[in-house]
Amino acid sequence: IRDEESGYNKNLFCIPKHYEEDLERVFIPHGLILDRTERLARDIMQDMGSHHIVALCVLKGGYKFFADLLDRIKALNQNGDKSVPITVDFVKIKSYC
């Protein structure tokens, strides 16, 4: 997103009531995030070929995106031409510094 990007008017979206006063604009619509997650899953499946996938989630902040990405990968794995094994693990990091 460029610095000069103004985003989208929040009135174009369904905003939960408890966020209405805190939110000024929407920079990345949810549909775009879903589309990019799907694209990333496809890229991972293509890049990994028939290799075993080891998925590692950093807990707390990353779990929702991780779950969405794994759902897309699993769907491609079940409905695609090939199926690759996936191992899932989680780590908790005390500090990012």
Side-chain angles (χ1 to χ4, degrees), residues 62-82:
Y63 83 94
K64 179 64 174 136
F65 169 73
F66 182 78
D68 289 346
L69 180 61
L70 272 185
D71 286 345
R72 304 297 184 286
I73 290 173
K74 287 178 182 177
L76 291 170
N77 212 6
Q78 291 173 349
N79 302 322
D81 297 337
K82 60 184 176 185

Side-chain angles (χ1 to χ4, degrees), residues 10 14-23:
K10 71 177 184 180
C14 296
I15 307 296
K17 200 80 163 149
H18 57 279
Y19 288 130
E20 283 181 347
E21 296 300 318
D22 298 323
L23 189 64

Side-chain angles (χ1 to χ4, degrees), residues 1-57:
I1 300 174
R2 296 183 178 129
D3 289 340
E4 60 273 0
E5 179 66 45
S6 63
Y8 299 89
N9 185 316
K10 71 177 184 180
N11 295 327
L12 298 172
F13 301 92
C14 296
I15 307 296
K17 200 80 163 149
H18 57 279
Y19 288 130
E20 283 181 347
E21 296 300 318
D22 298 323
L23 189 64
E24 197 173 303
R25 303 201 54 83
V26 174
F27 286 102
I28 305 174
H30 187 247
L32 180 58
I33 293 171
L34 293 177
D35 182 72
R36 294 300 300 145
T37 304
E38 173 77 24
R39 180 75 247 175
L40 182 57
R42 289 176 187 221
D43 290 347
I44 289 170
M45 288 295 289
Q46 182 178 1
D47 291 347
M48 292 304 293
S50 60
H51 295 287
H52 184 120
I53 296 174
V54 178
L56 183 65
C57 177

